[in-house]
Amino acid sequence: MTIRNKNPDETCLKWRNNSPFFQDDDLCSNVTAYNKDEQVQAMANQLFFYSSLILTVPSIPSSLILGSLVDKSQIRKSILIPLVALVISSFVYIALSIWEHSSPYYLLISDFIFGIAGGYTSIIGVSAAYSVRGATGSFRSSRMSRLESAIGLGGCIGSFVSGYIRAAFGYTVVFVIITLLQILAIVYVLLFVKDDVYEEIPDTQPESSFIRRSLIDPLYVLTRIRPLRVVLIACFCAFGLELFAFSGMSDIQFSFMRYQLAWDDKSYGLFTGLSSLFGTIGVIFVYPWLRLIICDALLGSIGLVLKMIFLIVLSFTTSSTVILILSGLYIGSRFVSTAFRTQIANLVEEDEQGKMSSLVSILEGVAGILATAVLNNLFPFTLSIWAGICPLSIVGLLGIALIILICNPHSESHTSVFLHTKKRKKRLNLQRRRWMLLSISDAGHH
């Protein structure tokens, strides 16, 4: 959120310093004024679009490669590569926060460094694959909810404190703290994440086929003939729509609230902190409890409905108090991603979890690019008509995703049957191996 807030600030400074048509020297010192200035908001959204594009496009092949490494039990390497690149890119932000009058387009250097190493999608994708490997059934849902709760808790704390730290000490201190936390994450991975948790599958393919194994085979995971392939593709597409809607609203939400409610980063930090807090409480306590009596698909549907209600109210209200009260609806915000990730993981084999997580990460990245391209460029044009056009459009997309979930009412029972079939096949394969060993032993004795 602090990084998102920095774009309009630096954009305003750049426009003031370089535009011959800029006549108002006090605009950039007046937060309310440049929040309402459509040209500044348009430039800030354009910069954010370029940032998302440069961050996501290079991360697509990197995510596929890192996901393949997870399936080969090279988990530590898969998570360390993007984390190290993230630390390097953070130093770019620190440098630009010191020289704040430099061009904001230098921020794109940081995005490229992080993106070429896999970006946030790789970190989340590898973490998701690591969480669900070796787990089955409801325990897999529990692990996925813990991952979502960790993401939510981090967002909650960061959103609460970042705005106040920025206001008190400036951007440099905020980015230094972020960098130190990233280094701490690297130390944690080195100390606690092990590669030898699962038995590695022997690699019988030649080294020359590395590109095919890393970039082509993951695509085959989604399309190959398997039980419930239609359910898998339907969940994948519905999740893509939800990710598009989530990414698009995340891109424009801060600009929307700055424009509609005249919020600064402290007000927005309070809102995102509260929403993250409710989302974390929901995924830590409410989701596992409801999962005992309700299937993942229904929980995901509940989360979609709550999101739609919030966006409808957001489109029409101008009251900050109403928005802060309705942040309680975010208690189901992480139900959607938790349910989708769990269902998708249940529908693929154990040695396909890394590849499938990579595909989901790529889906998230592509959906983010498309959402940024559409909504970041559409939102400034809607300001002269009605700012609520974009939030209501997102409600329509979430409605399509909800229909897809409703049209697969038996997906949970099908998934249970599929998981039972996989376990049965594994037991049969184990029995066959034991009989082969006994036969070989008997033949040796004779």
Side-chain angles (χ1 to χ4, degrees), residues 49 91 94 110 167 208 210 244 303 312 322 339 374 397 402 420 427:
F49 169 67
F91 282 109
I94 293 174
S110 170
S208 59
F210 171 77
F244 179 91
I312 291 173
V322 170
V374 174
L397 294 176
L402 180 62
H420 176 74
R427 287 197 299 267

Side-chain angles (χ1 to χ4, degrees), residues 298-356:
L298 184 55
L299 286 172
S301 300
I302 293 173
L304 286 172
V305 171
L306 293 178
K307 284 187 175 184
M308 294 167 67
I309 294 174
F310 174 80
L311 290 174
I312 291 173
V313 177
L314 178 65
S315 301
F316 293 96
T317 187
T318 57
S319 171
S320 298
T321 304
V322 170
I323 296 301
L324 291 176
I325 292 174
L326 288 182
S327 63
L329 294 176
Y330 272 75
I331 196 166
S333 61
R334 294 195 173 274
F335 286 14
V336 184
S337 57
T338 303
F340 274 122
R341 291 181 190 275
T342 302
Q343 281 199 298
I344 291 172
N346 286 340
L347 292 169
V348 298
E349 300 290 343
E350 192 70 24
D351 59 351
E352 295 175 330
Q353 294 297 335
K355 297 183 184 70
M356 193 69 244

Side-chain angles (χ1 to χ4, degrees), residues 370-403:
L370 294 177
T372 301
V374 174
L375 293 173
N376 265 289
N377 292 293
L378 177 63
F379 176 69
F381 292 103
T382 63
L383 297 180
S384 58
I385 304 173
W386 180 46
I389 292 176
C390 287
L392 283 185
S393 301
I394 293 173
V395 170
L397 294 176
L398 293 178
I400 296 174
L402 180 62
I403 292 173

Side-chain angles (χ1 to χ4, degrees), residues 8-43:
D9 295 346
E10 290 202 348
T11 301
C12 188
L13 291 171
K14 177 180 174 59
W15 186 36
R16 183 192 67 187
N17 294 334
N18 295 282
S19 175
F21 305 103
F22 194 95
Q23 302 295 330
D24 190 352
D25 293 334
D26 297 326
L27 177 62
C28 294
S29 60
N30 188 336
V31 175
T32 303
Y34 74 71
N35 282 348
K36 289 291 186 180
D37 192 281
E38 296 180 10
Q39 188 167 358
V40 172
Q41 294 299 320
M43 289 183 66

